[in-house]
């Protein structure tokens, strides 16, 4: 009788999107294969992939797996299940999900390495009669190390015995990529210069580092007049260490409130979460606390509980640049059992953190949304800070997942607790809490019962009527003067970078727009050029109008560059900093601005929404919001919610420690309900108003949304394909969903592509997702070069 083929499903990287079927070798049990990387034949090439399922049902001809570059899986069964959920829910090929989930080196041809820490210990163990050690000595012969493929000749039990005894270690080696000199930190490995050191160059290097501590490579070379090669030679000799620059410099020696006495609300919240962790059960908590209420203290105590129970934690933050405060706090308490991971790190450093997490050498991983994929064993707690933040949603490339929602899914899968924290929860999350899907934990008071800042509205229309005021109203100018007289600091929010958001011809009114996008070009005075903030297109400042050839132009609106000029004229002797995407583009500039303001070297910080969240400066007495309502004008059902969140979060930066806080909220719509409620810090009234409108109009949380975008360089073609998809989807979803469109996207043209949108609203998301996948998975939609069809499930960006 012919034996049944041992078939497995393999997802191949950088090749076909659908899993392929291969025959597994007889020498390995199927349980050893799941989640392992494999090298398989595909056409005339050998490709790398991952075994994602066993006992694949397939009746056609199959080829054999070529080889295994590793001795162990890179994905557990639970992680594969999680990846499959992401693929199914966000309508993304499983291979693409795996490539996002795994660190980049593992989707390249990287072989696992077998290291032998001590050959003497190995030989001694073999001589003492250890069968595993004896087998390895025989296999080694005269070699010093083995590849994983060669070690696989030993039985699994022998390999496990060698590893448990510390006689071997399995690792992957990734070369350090090319980094800017400012991103590399050099430190001495010795406490003093060896007296017999002959090289004067190396002596200079060591003397500098021993006297002044770790220094970035660029600065070290300037100070010691050495070349990069000379520094690397000293590293090779073991006298120096060169590592990537730590994420943040100069953390406080001791955080102010390590001995803070928790209030009753914090204590109750911690006890509730700790009980879930102790029971190894799943529960999702919404921690709704006003700004400055001590949510970070709750996070820390819950992490301590998880570690005490032998479990680990993931902390997700919206943007890594704004996480300095929580990083300082966690690092001061948990030391090197904490790791920070983010996209600005090299692939080597991210991979090393992945390995440390996977091996159990870390207790906490902190980072933006992709930190959720960290392979920590025995995960007991996931924290999503600022759970309302739009940057938790991955927009491109796919999978277009929401880290908050996936955190809940992963916590349920692993029976652990998940905390979603915010001072302005998303409407969906607060609704889930009131409906009992999440457990609501409230912190209604600031730490030490400090009052919330007093918010004053200023009608910008009246300010414009007064000569010489405009966007810097008399009220705001006066309060800045009062704050400076009291030795306090001021933070000013203007959520538009550049000098002028739009430039118009004074004669004919023509607006200068991007050639590739349907948006105005922004004038940047520093570079004296026009810039598209969507696609990055730039062009010189025009000599004349392209339509009427007039050389007179009118600036409309205000950006951070122009506001900085106005502030410097009004306060010429006051140190001022600007923080936006332009001023923080250079490596290390964000850290420099942060440190200067925190240390008091600057008294005014002007910035975009970067400064509206995450900061905790003790001397900030005043927050000025230059234009409070620009986001109200956007054609998006979440426009009011985002405006309320931005105003509330920005207001919360004031009066957190040394000063009573005050907020000047400048607005063109002083009677708008959203602005009025933000002035009163009244989230619950805002929620009641918003949820009633969502119910009436049929928007989340009462329905789920699927946004299908069709893009093409030909507008008529994009609209035609959109109608075809609409008709096909509508025919399959009758009675299951409402289908709207196609209509031109609010930003109709982006990066030279015209865009049409189809919006699907449904209460039966699982059924509808399957049917939409069937409609959109036809071959011509996958291979057509003249169009792009993008599916965004639970979209956040509707523009």
């Amino acid at each position: 009788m012919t034996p049944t083929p041992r078939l497995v499903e393999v997802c191949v990287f950088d090749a076909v999107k659908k899993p392929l079927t291969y025959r597994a070798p007889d020498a390995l049990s199927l349980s050893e294969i799941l989640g392992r990387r494999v090298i398989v034949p595909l056409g005339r090439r050998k490709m790398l992939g991952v075994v994602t399922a066993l006992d694949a049902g397939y009746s056609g001809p199959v080829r054999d797996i070529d080889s295994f570059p590793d001795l162990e899986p890179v994905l557990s069964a639970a992680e594969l299940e999680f990846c499959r959920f992401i693929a199914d829910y966000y309508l993304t090929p499983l291979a693409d999900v795996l490539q996002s989930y795994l660190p980049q080196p593992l989707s390249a041809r990287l072989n696992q390495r077998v290291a032998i820490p001590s050959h003497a210990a190995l030989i001694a163990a073999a001589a003492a009669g250890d069968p595993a050690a004896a087998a390895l000595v025989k296999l080694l012969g005269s070699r010093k190390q083995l590849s994983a493929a060669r070690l696989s000749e030993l039985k699994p039990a022998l390999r496990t015995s060698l590893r448990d005894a510390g006689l071997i270690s399995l690792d992957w080696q990734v070369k350090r990529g090319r980094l800017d000199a400012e991103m590399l930190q050099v430190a001495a490995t010795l406490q003093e210069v060896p007296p017999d050191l002959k090289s004067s160059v190396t002596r200079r290097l060591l003397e500098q580092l021993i006297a002044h501590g770790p220094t970035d490579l660029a600065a070290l070379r300037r100070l010691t007049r050495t070349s990069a090669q000379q520094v690397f030679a000293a590293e090779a000799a073991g006298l120096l260490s060169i590592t990537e620059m730590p994420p943040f410099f100069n953390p406080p020696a001791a955080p102010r409130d390590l001995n803070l006495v928790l209030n009753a609300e914090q204590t109750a919240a911690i006890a509730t979460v700790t009980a879930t962790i102790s029971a190894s059960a799943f529960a999702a908590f919404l921690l709704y606390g006003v700004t400055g209420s001590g949510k970070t203290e709750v996070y820390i105590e819950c992490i301590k509980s998880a570690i005490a129970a032998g479990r680990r934690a993931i902390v997700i933050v919206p943007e890594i640049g704004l996480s300095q405060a929580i990083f300082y706090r966690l690092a001061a308490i948990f030391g090197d059992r904490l790791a920070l991971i983010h996209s600005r790190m090299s692939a080597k450093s991210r991979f090393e953190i992945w390995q440390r997490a996977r091996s159990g050498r870390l207790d906490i991983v902190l980072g933006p949304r992709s930190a959720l994929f960290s392979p920590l064993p025995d995960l007991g707690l996931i924290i999503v800070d600022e759970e309302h933040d739009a940057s938790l949603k991955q927009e491109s490339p796919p999978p277009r997942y929401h880290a908050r929602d996936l955190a809940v899914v992963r916590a349920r899968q692993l029976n652990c607790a998940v905390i979603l924290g915010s001072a302005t929860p998303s409407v969906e999350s607060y609704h889930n809490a009131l409906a009992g899907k999440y457990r609501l934990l409230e912190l209604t008071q600031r730490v030490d019962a400090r009052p919330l800042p007093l918010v004053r509205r200023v009608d910008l229309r009246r300010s414009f009527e007064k000569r010489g005021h405009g966007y810097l109203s008399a009220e705001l100018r006066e309060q800045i003067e009062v704050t400076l007289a009291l030795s306090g600091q001021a933070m000013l929010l203007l959520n538009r970078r550049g000098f002028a958001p739009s430039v118009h011809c004074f004669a004919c009114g023509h607006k200068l727009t991007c050639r590739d996008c349907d948006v105005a070009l922004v004038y940047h005075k520093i570079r004296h050029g026009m810039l598209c903030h969507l696609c990055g297109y730039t062009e010189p400042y025009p000599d004349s109008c392209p339509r009427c050839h007039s050389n007179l132009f009118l600036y409309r609106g205000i950006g951070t560059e122009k506001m900085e000029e106005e502030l410097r004229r009004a306060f010429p002797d006051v140190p001022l900093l600007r923080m936006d995407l332009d001023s923080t583009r250079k490596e290390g500039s964000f850290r420099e601005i942060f440190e200067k303001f925190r240390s008091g070297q600057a008294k005014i910080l002007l910035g975009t929404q970067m400064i509206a969240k995450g900061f905790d400066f003790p001397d900030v007495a005043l927050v000025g919001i230059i234009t409070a309502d620009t986001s109200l004008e956007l054609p998006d059902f979440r426009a009011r919610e985002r405006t309320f969140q931005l105003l509330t979060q920005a207001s919360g930066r004031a009066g957190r420690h040394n000063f009573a806080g005050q907020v000047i909220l400048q607005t063109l719509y002083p009677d708008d309900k959203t602005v009025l409620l933000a002035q009163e810090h009244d989230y619950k009234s805002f929620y009641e108003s918003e949820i009633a409108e969502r119910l009436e109009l049929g928007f989340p949380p009462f329905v789920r949304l699927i946004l299908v975008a069709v893009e093409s360089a030909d507008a008529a073609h994009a609209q035609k394909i959109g109608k075809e998809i609409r008709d096909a989807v509508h025919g399959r979803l009758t009675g299951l969903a409402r289908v709207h469109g196609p209509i031109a996207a609010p930003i109709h043209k982006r990066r030279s592509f015209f865009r049409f949108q189809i919006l699907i609203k449904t209460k039966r998301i699982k059924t509808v997702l399957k049917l939409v996948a069937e409609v959109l998975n036809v071959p011509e939609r996958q291979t057509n070069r003249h169009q792009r069809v993008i599916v965004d499930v639970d979209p956040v960006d509707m523009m």
Side-chain angles (χ1 to χ4, degrees), residues 762-793:
T762 183
K763 296 182 179 180
R764 299 179 60 183
I765 187 69
K766 291 183 179 179
T767 302
V768 167
L769 283 172
K770 291 179 181 178
L771 296 175
V772 170
E774 292 174 6
V775 170
L776 297 181
N777 203 29
V778 291
E780 57 266 27
R781 303 216 191 282
Q782 290 184 329
T783 58
N784 195 312
R785 296 181 180 180
H786 302 292
Q787 68 200 33
R788 291 196 297 240
V789 179
I790 298 168
V791 185
D792 192 357
V793 181

Side-chain angles (χ1 to χ4, degrees), residues 250 256 483-484 486-491 573-577 591-605 616-621 658-659:
N250 305 324
R256 287 181 303 277
T483 298
L484 296 174
L486 295 172
S487 299
Q489 291 178 301
M491 294 177 69
D573 300 322
V574 178
L576 180 149
L577 297 169
R591 181 174 59 241
E592 182 181 355
I593 295 170
F594 178 89
E595 296 295 347
K596 283 184 177 179
F597 192 68
R598 187 181 66 175
S599 65
Q601 296 177 54
K603 292 298 182 181
I604 299 175
L605 177 62
D616 185 14
F617 297 117
D619 292 333
V620 171
N658 298 337
F659 292 87

Side-chain angles (χ1 to χ4, degrees), residues 368-678:
R369 53 183 179 259
S370 61
L372 179 64
F373 302 152
S374 301
L376 287 169
D378 301 314
L379 191 61
L381 176 65
I382 303 174
I383 296 168
V384 183
D385 192 31
E386 308 293 359
E387 65 83 29
H388 67 276
D389 200 284
S391 58
L392 292 170
K393 180 74 157 72
Q394 166 81 1
E395 296 294 345
S396 184
R400 295 177 171 83
Y401 65 91
H402 201 303
R404 176 197 63 211
D405 299 341
L406 285 187
V408 176
V409 172
R410 191 171 187 200
R412 181 183 288 110
Q413 179 197 43
L414 299 177
N415 283 323
C416 73
V418 57
I419 302 174
L420 313 178
S422 179
T424 54
S426 65
V427 169
E428 291 91 334
S429 291
Y430 197 71
H431 176 79
N432 284 339
L434 296 183
K437 186 175 180 180
Y438 301 160
R439 297 175 65 178
L440 182 61
L441 307 173
E442 293 192 69
L443 305 178
T444 60
Q445 299 293 323
R446 279 189 156 189
V447 172
D448 294 337
R450 300 185 191 105
L452 287 165
L454 175 67
V455 181
R456 292 170 51 193
R457 278 175 298 135
V458 172
D459 190 342
L460 266 181
R461 295 170 300 182
R462 295 182 180 178
S463 180
F464 290 141
E465 293 170 359
K466 299 177 182 178
R467 185 174 180 83
H469 291 292
Y471 286 100
L472 187 58
S473 66
E475 292 88 344
L476 179 55
R477 185 193 298 255
E478 178 186 344
Q479 288 306 314
I480 293 174
E481 291 172 349
V482 170
T483 298
L484 296 174
L486 295 172
S487 299
Q489 291 178 301
M491 294 177 69
L492 304 178
L493 171 71
L494 175 57
N495 203 24
R496 282 179 174 168
R497 61 190 177 98
F499 189 84
S502 64
V503 178
H504 300 249
C505 175
F506 189 81
C508 70
H510 174 68
K511 181 170 68 174
L512 301 181
T513 58
C514 175
R515 68 177 187 185
D516 297 325
C517 304
D518 189 22
V519 295
L521 288 171
V522 178
Y523 174 50
H524 285 249
K525 189 173 183 179
I526 292 176
R527 63 177 74 181
H528 193 55
M530 311 298 295
L531 173 65
C532 175
H533 286 181
L534 275 183
C535 71
Y537 167 75
T538 61
E539 64 179 41
Y541 187 81
D543 295 323
S544 61
C545 172
R547 178 180 291 175
C548 74
H549 307 296
S550 167
N551 61 359
L552 296 177
F553 291 97
L554 175 67
Y555 301 136
R556 288 188 176 172
I558 189 171
T560 48
E561 285 183 11
K562 187 176 181 180
M563 193 68 219
E564 182 182 10
E565 281 191 3
E566 290 195 21
L567 288 166
R568 292 193 186 281
R569 282 196 299 268
F571 306 98
D573 300 322
V574 178
L576 180 149
L577 297 169
R578 174 168 59 89
M579 180 180 282
D580 56 24
L581 189 61
D582 299 309
S583 66
T584 58
R585 199 176 297 277
K586 182 182 176 184
E587 182 65 33
S589 54
F590 181 97
R591 181 174 59 241
E592 182 181 355
I593 295 170
F594 178 89
E595 296 295 347
K596 283 184 177 179
F597 192 68
R598 187 181 66 175
S599 65
Q601 296 177 54
K603 292 298 182 181
I604 299 175
L605 177 62
L606 167 68
T608 56
Q609 64 177 346
M610 294 174 109
I611 70 171
K613 54 196 173 184
F615 287 127
D616 185 14
F617 297 117
D619 292 333
V620 171
L622 174 68
V623 167
I625 301 173
I626 308 299
T627 53
D629 35 44
T630 53
S631 54
L632 280 174
E633 302 163 0
L634 297 176
D636 188 330
F637 76 93
R638 290 192 177 94
R640 284 181 299 278
E641 179 182 13
R642 287 179 180 149
T643 301
F644 180 88
Q645 289 167 342
L646 181 62
L647 298 183
T648 304
Q649 293 283 344
S651 299
R653 301 312 106 199
R656 297 172 73 94
H657 295 282
N658 298 337
F659 292 87
Q662 184 168 188
V663 179
I664 301 296
L665 193 161
Q666 299 185 159
T667 174
L668 292 170
Y669 307 105
D671 299 321
D672 184 90
K673 182 166 57 176
T674 301
V675 174
L676 291 170
L677 293 173

